Amino acid sequence: YAFNACSNLTSVTIGNSVTSIGEGTFANCSDLTSVTIPNSVTSIGEGAFYYCSSLTSVTIGNSVTSIGVDAFSDCTSLTSVTIGSSVTSIGKWAFWQCSSLNIIICKSAFPPTLGSSVWANVPTNANVYVPCGRSSIYSANTGWSRFTNIQDSSFINVELSVNDSLMGHAEVLLNSCDSTIIKATPNSGYV
């Protein structure tokens, strides 16, 4: 409960030497808006971010293996969460009452084991993105099957920059599990 009820706390940088976020660490931090949990962290304790009502975005690093009971319960403004590739279990009520949650990115190849009511009051039509070729496994898994929009995703971000826009421009036309298509269009006089 190190920062419990620090209502004016708006942002947090968690250092790379931190290995766990303990029980209730940021609970009731009502002005906290986003948090990125680095790859050094392996566990998120019970109620760690409980009732962070302004929290809109959470990114959980790839070393986290477990998310505790009530970890993000009642984060009513939470719209997106990215769950790292090593998460194997999510405790009961972890995302209970996250009624604004509409994007769930789960990078784990196998659906993490869910405690009871993990997704209670999370919209069933939330967009759930899972690793390529895994949507059918998630769709057949109890707890995950409640979602109607589970999609395969590559999780590879392609960013383009043109170092001389006088010569032309480039754009990503498709970035899917199977391929990425980039189109370069030269300006007149360039190839």
Side-chain angles (χ1 to χ4, degrees):
Y1 294 93
F3 302 98
N4 182 30
C6 289
S7 59
N8 293 325
L9 184 65
T10 59
S11 65
V12 172
T13 301
I14 298 172
N16 288 327
S17 61
V18 174
T19 57
S20 67
I21 299 173
E23 181 177 339
T25 301
F26 298 102
N28 301 297
C29 290
S30 57
D31 286 348
L32 185 62
T33 58
S34 69
V35 64
T36 298
I37 300 167
N39 284 331
S40 60
V41 173
T42 58
S43 66
I44 300 170
E46 182 174 328
F49 295 91
Y50 174 79
Y51 200 69
C52 290
S53 57
S54 296
L55 191 62
T56 60
S57 168
V58 173
T59 300
I60 298 169
N62 287 326
S63 294
V64 172
T65 58
S66 65
I67 299 172
V69 171
D70 276 325
F72 298 95
S73 276
D74 233 352
C75 293
T76 54
S77 297
L78 188 63
T79 60
S80 69
V81 62
T82 299
I83 300 169
S85 60
S86 297
V87 172
T88 58
S89 66
I90 302 175
K92 63 183 176 180
W93 307 312
F95 294 96
W96 177 78
Q97 293 289 24
C98 293
S99 55
S100 298
L101 190 57
N102 60 23
I103 297 174
I104 301 167
I105 298 170
C106 190
K107 295 183 175 183
S108 179
F110 297 97
T113 303
L114 303 176
S116 64
S117 302
V118 167
W119 306 115
N121 295 319
V122 172
T124 58
N125 65 344
N127 294 305
V128 179
Y129 300 97
V130 300
C132 288
R134 307 311 260 173
S135 61
S136 60
I137 294 170
Y138 274 79
S139 293
N141 185 279
T142 303
W144 291 94
S145 61
R146 72 183 302 276
F147 294 108
T148 59
N149 197 15
I150 299 176
Q151 306 167 47
D152 291 322
S153 183
S154 70
F155 302 128
I156 297 172
N157 294 329
V158 177
E159 292 183 28
L160 294 177
S161 63
V162 177
N163 58 1
D164 189 344
S165 59
L166 178 68
M167 294 182 190
H169 68 277
E171 61 187 313
V172 177
L173 297 178
L174 172 71
N175 187 25
S176 70
C177 292
D178 302 321
S179 63
T180 299
I181 299 172
I182 299 170
K183 179 182 177 187
T185 306
N187 288 338
S188 180
Y190 295 94
V191 293

